[in-house]
Amino acid sequence: MDDFYQKNLAFLRPFLPRAVADYLSSDVQTKANLTGGETGEDWNIQLGENILYPFGAKHYAEKQVEAFLENPVRRISFIASNFLFSEDQTGTRDEPGAFQERPLDADRLIKDLPDPEEFIAAGAAAELLRAVDQQMLPWFPQETSGHLICLGLGLGLQLPLLINQIPFRDLVIVDPNPEFLRFSLSVVDWPNLIHALKERGGRPYFVIGNKPDQMVLEIEGALRGAQYTRIDGTYIFQHYAASPLPDVIRQLQEKNAVLERGRGFFEDEILMLQNTLANFGGSAGKILTGKKHSVSPKGTAIILGSGPSADNSIETVNDLVKQGFPLITAGTGLGVALRNGFIPTFHCEIENTNRIPDVLRPLAEMHDFSPITLIAPFSVHPGVAAFFKKRVFYYRDSHINTRLFAKREDVMFLSGPTVTNLACRSAIALNFQELVLFGVDLGAKSPDQHHSKSSVYNTVDDSYFKSGRGMDALEIQVNGNYGKPVYTSRAFLYARNFFELLLSQNKDIVVLNASDGISIAGTEAMRAAKVSAHLRGAGTLGGDTIAELADITNQSETVSHALKEYLAQLEDWQQGFIRAIETDHTSLDPLQDAVLDLISEAGTGEVHSPAAAVQATFSGSILSILQLAYVLDRRIAEPERENFLLVLKRTLLKTVSDAVKQAESLAQR
């Protein structure tokens, strides 16, 4: 390894996965070889009897980038394609038509927003839309964007050309071959590339591997990072199509709808803090932390959701419960179990709204809940805990109450966003070694059958529940667990992301998926009738697992101190926010950077403090406002941008001022 290589590696190391950095530091023999002379005109990669480039890599990269610049591939954000321009596209999902450019109709779009009186981000969005009313907005935004995804690294000679000619910030490099990066370190001036990215506020991400599902998760993590609000107009450059890159592209397209799922909103954060304070004061119980507990490893746990396929699994689930396998029900899966005659060992709830007690009340009137242990976040509606004598609470990651009251090691990460995610996560925390999923469909074979016939959605005469309780329509077609297409939604695809990330981090856990819904990487598809013959674990819980957990102690002094700190940090944060907004910015980019700095700690689960709790309070709503602002600003005419920036500043100041008053009111109780 010469000095040039070592200098490159030193610059890249902070951005590389540890395993990749270790590989690049080693002297292992590569299967491929770098060929060519010193000038680079004929550099190539020898792959056995084949070569990567049809002619010299340098000339190939120049021609490819030249062709790309003439017609760049860009990802249009969900906000633009499915909100701003939802009625401006002809054709169908399978046969897209042309885009019809016409004046933006602010009044029509505002009607599609949530209630501005209820959600501060919706009120801000309405103000921004009014500011650009009747302006002609093009389909493609300005050339700037937050990201460029380079599918295939090769020697990397295309990267300087792309960086020099396209104004993006973060560079996401995707390649299955770590040896190609090794070769690139010998021919590309990486420090120069890193400096160029840093100067524009960006950085590189390296996604190196050969498992498409894991690679896609890492790409999503990069896109939802520091430049998330600039996701509109992301460039997608394909250097070559070697396996498994085509599958990576397919999965990215399949998950496209969930890339822009929100990170929570101000109103949710305030409600979760309110519920947590009530649960601290009124509920005895135990605390489940994210680590696998020191109790002896358990065998198999059965997890029952309320997807449509649960109806075809009742007999199997009943038999397994009779054999002694612990049953964990998820949300409305409790009704499915009780209505079919079996009682769960654990029941999981996750939502913080008052609808959950309404669902539990009729079940509690007809069935004995005393054998059931509730597992729920501290942020759950306090009325939920009242139905259960045995309760286990946990801290859900990222939210205001967790940042304020919990140490990082106490948090149960990847426990959401849905209650079936929680059921799997809590089973792992309780040290079960094998999980079997029934009714965890995250979709359906038929788009109009969203839940089990035994669930509350189909057993009560309530239009709210019969309609799917406000859930997204099942209108996205994806591969099913058993190979046939099924229908799902953005919310369910988002939940699958977290399932797959959880399982990728717990590869020692065996998960059999007997649900007839969407496929979940990391699980083994298996028909319900065949499950019993393939179980590896024992059919007993083993020991008093819950008794071994720590008790909830009196929290009054801790809570009082934390709230005082929160109020002090809230005042400091608001003053910093005002200073950031009132700075004489000449364009949106520096304003965004200044505001994003004020909520940066909310984007990571690493920091737990009153200051981080304050940032988490506002982060989700501010991000959604900035993302819409970026989409609009990059499409309006240059003369209109100065006025739009003034409207954005005024809107942000009012939005945050109103929100701070609400947060202060709750924390001062």
Side-chain angles (χ1 to χ4, degrees), residues 395-652:
Y395 285 105
R396 187 176 176 185
D397 60 286
S398 304
H399 296 296
I400 171 179
N401 56 310
T402 299
R403 307 276 191 160
L404 195 54
F405 301 123
K407 298 178 181 178
R408 187 179 185 278
E409 57 266 28
D410 294 333
V411 179
M412 198 151 78
F413 289 94
L414 300 176
S415 60
T418 73
V419 72
T420 52
N421 294 92
L422 167 60
C424 287
R425 181 65 184 87
S426 57
I428 291 174
L430 291 170
N431 220 356
F432 285 101
Q433 303 300 297
E434 181 178 50
L435 312 179
V436 188
L437 312 182
F438 295 97
V440 185
D441 295 353
L442 303 181
K445 291 191 293 185
S446 173
D448 56 359
Q449 185 183 359
H450 46 76
H451 281 84
S452 161
K453 295 176 182 177
S454 299
S455 75
V456 66
Y457 295 94
N458 295 300
T459 57
V460 299
D461 188 18
D462 185 313
S463 59
Y464 179 73
F465 284 103
K466 285 184 176 180
S467 67
R469 199 164 61 91
M471 63 180 284
D472 294 344
L474 303 180
E475 58 184 11
I476 302 172
Q477 194 175 70
V478 298
N479 288 337
N481 187 42
Y482 299 132
K484 295 183 179 180
V486 296
Y487 295 89
T488 187
S489 66
R490 290 180 69 213
F492 282 148
L493 288 174
Y494 188 60
R496 179 173 70 173
N497 283 2
F498 284 83
F499 269 114
E500 293 178 347
L501 185 56
L502 172 65
L503 298 181
S504 73
Q505 295 180 2
N506 293 273
K507 295 181 180 179
D508 57 322
I509 306 297
V510 176
V511 183
L512 305 181
N513 189 357
S515 310
D516 198 357
I518 68 176
S519 63
I520 302 175
T523 69
E524 179 182 350
M526 184 169 293
R527 296 288 182 180
K530 296 183 177 181
V531 165
S532 295
H534 289 80
L535 294 183
R536 301 164 176 81
T540 58
L541 182 59
D544 192 349
T545 301
I546 301 307
E548 297 170 348
L549 302 178
D551 284 305
I552 297 175
T553 55
N554 189 320
Q555 299 286 322
S556 58
E557 185 174 340
T558 300
V559 169
S560 177
H561 176 74
L563 289 176
K564 288 180 181 178
E565 288 292 316
Y566 177 82
L567 283 168
Q569 291 293 332
L570 183 62
E571 182 178 355
D572 289 346
W573 182 87
Q574 185 181 19
Q575 293 305 312
F577 184 85
I578 292 172
R579 288 193 296 271
I581 297 298
E582 291 182 345
T583 299
D584 188 21
H585 302 291
T586 58
S587 66
L588 176 61
D589 273 330
L591 173 63
Q592 283 223 62
D593 290 337
V595 173
L596 291 172
D597 282 345
L598 293 170
I599 55 174
S600 60
E601 290 184 354
T604 173
E606 300 295 325
V607 184
H608 283 235
S609 66
V614 169
Q615 293 193 25
T617 307
F618 303 98
S619 173
S621 292
I622 288 176
L623 284 173
S624 69
I625 296 169
L626 292 179
Q627 190 178 3
L628 174 60
Y630 187 82
V631 169
L632 294 173
D633 181 80
R634 288 321 191 251
R635 286 175 171 81
I636 59 178
E638 184 69 39
E640 306 294 336
R641 290 200 177 115
E642 182 177 353
N643 179 65
F644 181 74
L645 186 63
L646 293 175
V647 172
L648 174 61
K649 285 187 169 189
R650 184 171 63 246
T651 300
L652 284 170

Side-chain angles (χ1 to χ4, degrees), residues 53 61 153-161 180 184 187-188 190 193 239:
Y53 298 107
L153 170 64
L155 288 180
L157 299 176
Q158 72 279 13
L159 300 181
L161 304 175
F180 288 3
S184 181
V187 301
V188 172
W190 280 95
L193 296 188
H239 191 43

